[in-house]
């Protein structure tokens, strides 16, 4: 088997020595080329090269969810073709590793590498569905390039939190769960539209949902982890179905306390619910419009401000080693 290993040297939970051990373990089982990323977007470029090559059977992403997202966008730059494209394997190296954990891999890089090697020997893989965003025709964002996400996207509050965390990381802060909690509190108190939302959700053959403050789009469940604790924004979301949406129409102190507690105590059977919570399951396509520009995030990466984003759930998009 010919494989490309894409290594993020800034991965927060693996040392250089650990990465060397993992590279040797993988190289013992396959013909491996290891490339260390050197700039933002490099993993995407490497994924695209692998997709265009006839010599690569497998791409292994060693890093966090951002690295995985870049590799996936490179592999799918010309669209999904599961039977032709290289398969994907993920060695978790970030602080959260939602995608790797969602497909059932251990959160430890060494254990995950062992699980991947076992899966390759057994021929164990699954074809997963993914989310695709694009600029909405007829809006000022229509020229925004399409982009894939593996597990989650958000327009509004949660994307603002991601943006604040990225600013702190650029100043040298480590990506920790405590950092996310602090920035979430700052985003809440700085949120200008928390009482009267600006987001409208539109979908074919249904009435629009208006005045949302927060919109979380899930491609799988759990939505994220607080340490080892999973949180289920949309418990029924699945790699085998379309996209799920959780929207909140109010974010007062009382509402945040209620829905925050529900998130922390959520389970595969029940997520946030109540008067100001709105949920949709297994959507093929919908659009989020905002009266004002709002931050957009995908797989934990802040992508700037948008006023309109169209979401598509693409079933059977990519083969993943599990």
């Amino acid at each position: 088997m010919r494989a490309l290993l894409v290594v993020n040297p800034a991965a927060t939970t693996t040392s250089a020595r650990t990465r060397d051990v993992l590279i040797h373990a993988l190289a013992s089982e396959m013909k491996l080329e290891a490339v260390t990323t050197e700039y933002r977007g490099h993993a995407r470029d490497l994924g695209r090269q692998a997709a265009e090559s006839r010599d690569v059977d497998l791409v292994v992403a060693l890093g966090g969810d951002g690295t995985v997202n870049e590799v996936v966008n490179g592999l799918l730059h010309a669209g999904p073709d599961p039977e032709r494209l290289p398969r994907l394997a993920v060695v978790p190296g970030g602080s959260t590793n939602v995608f790797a954990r969602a497909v059932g891999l251990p959160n430890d890089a060494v254990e995950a590498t062992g699980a991947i090697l076992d899966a390759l020997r057994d021929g164990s893989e699954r074809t997963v569905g993914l989310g695709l965003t694009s600029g909405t025709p007829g809006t000022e964002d229509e020229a925004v390039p399409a982009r894939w996400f593996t597990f989650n996207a958000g327009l509004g509050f949660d994307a603002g939190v991601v943006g604040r965390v990225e600013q702190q990381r650029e100043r040298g802060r480590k990506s920790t769960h405590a950092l996310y909690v602090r920035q979430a509190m700052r985003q809440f108190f700085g949120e200008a539209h928390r009482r009267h939302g600006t987001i409208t959700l539109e979908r074919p053959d249904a009435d629009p949902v208006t005045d949302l403050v927060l919109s979380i789009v899930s491609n799988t469940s759990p939505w994220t982890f607080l340490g080892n604790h999973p949180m289920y924004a949309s418990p029924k979301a699945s790699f085998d179905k379309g996209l799920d949406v959780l929207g909140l129409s109010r974010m007062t102190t009382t509402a945040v306390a209620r829905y925050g507690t529900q998130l922390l105590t959520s389970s595969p059977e029940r997520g946030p619910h109540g008067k100001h919570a709105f949920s949709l399951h297994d959507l093929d396509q919908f659009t989020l419009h905002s009266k004002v520009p709002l931050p957009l995030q995908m797989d934990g990466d802040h992508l700037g401000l948008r006023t309109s984003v169209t979401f598509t759930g693409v079933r059977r998009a990519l083969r993943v080693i599990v």
Side-chain angles (χ1 to χ4, degrees):
M1 176 177 290
R2 297 156 299 181
L4 171 67
L5 174 64
V6 179
V7 181
N8 180 358
T12 56
T13 57
T14 57
S15 65
R17 179 175 294 180
T18 299
R19 291 192 289 271
D20 286 342
V21 170
L22 300 180
I23 290 170
H24 285 300
L26 292 168
S28 68
E29 299 283 341
M30 62 192 73
K31 185 177 180 181
L32 184 73
E33 178 186 5
V35 181
T36 299
T37 57
E38 299 176 355
Y39 53 87
R40 186 162 187 164
H42 194 182
R44 180 193 62 232
D45 294 342
L46 293 169
R48 178 169 183 161
Q49 292 168 18
E52 294 174 344
S53 170
R54 296 291 181 181
D55 297 326
V56 179
D57 304 304
L58 173 71
V59 177
V60 184
L62 197 172
D65 289 310
T67 303
V68 175
N69 179 278
E70 285 195 14
V71 169
V72 167
N73 273 277
L75 287 170
L76 299 181
H77 76 282
D81 189 350
E83 299 309 314
R84 183 189 67 82
L85 290 173
R87 290 168 290 172
L88 173 71
V90 177
V91 178
S95 59
T96 309
N97 307 306
V98 178
F99 180 76
R101 296 161 87 170
V103 295
L105 290 170
N107 195 37
D108 177 79
V110 175
E111 292 182 9
T113 300
I116 290 168
L117 292 173
D118 287 343
L120 287 169
R121 295 186 194 105
D122 297 338
S124 178
E125 63 180 55
R126 66 180 292 191
T127 304
V128 300
L130 299 173
L132 178 67
T133 66
S134 57
T136 306
T139 71
E140 62 185 58
D141 291 327
E142 66 178 338
V144 175
R147 178 156 174 161
W148 296 88
F149 62 94
T150 64
F151 64 88
N152 168 261
L155 181 70
F157 179 82
D158 71 308
V161 175
V162 169
R164 286 176 178 270
V165 170
E166 286 191 4
Q167 289 177 349
Q168 294 299 312
R169 292 187 66 183
E170 289 172 359
R171 296 170 184 168
R173 300 286 182 85
K174 291 188 65 174
S175 178
T176 64
H177 300 294
L179 178 63
Y180 275 89
V181 172
R182 288 196 300 271
Q183 299 311 312
M185 295 300 297
R186 290 174 181 172
Q187 180 68 21
F188 170 72
F189 288 112
E191 180 62 61
H193 307 285
R194 66 174 183 260
R195 290 181 178 271
H196 304 287
T198 65
I199 301 171
T200 295
L201 185 152
E202 295 181 353
R203 54 191 167 124
D205 304 319
D207 292 334
V209 181
T210 61
D211 302 326
L212 297 175
V213 181
L214 174 148
S215 53
I216 295 173
V217 182
S218 296
N219 185 50
T220 188
S221 194
W223 161 54
T224 190
F225 292 81
L226 190 61
N228 289 321
H229 182 71
M231 293 192 287
Y232 301 86
S234 297
K236 293 191 291 184
S238 167
F239 286 127
D240 300 319
K241 298 183 180 295
L243 301 175
D244 284 23
V245 184
L246 169 68
L248 298 181
S249 60
R250 183 169 295 184
M251 290 190 68
T252 61
T253 303
T254 301
V256 166
R258 178 187 303 118
Y259 296 121
T261 299
Q262 289 179 358
L263 262 179
L264 288 171
T265 59
S266 59
S267 69
E269 288 73 40
R270 193 172 199 188
H273 55 277
K275 180 180 179 181
H276 301 293
F278 175 82
S279 298
L280 290 172
H281 174 58
D282 194 15
L283 301 182
D284 289 327
Q285 190 172 79
F286 61 93
T287 297
L288 296 177
H289 300 284
S290 175
K291 299 173 185 176
V292 300
L294 292 177
L296 172 70
Q297 68 85 15
M298 280 187 272
D299 289 346
D301 276 349
H302 186 272
L303 299 177
L305 301 179
R306 301 284 191 274
T307 55
S308 186
V309 186
T310 295
F311 292 81
T312 304
V314 181
R315 292 168 169 82
R316 296 187 59 79
L318 190 66
R319 292 180 297 165
V320 180
I321 302 301
V322 292

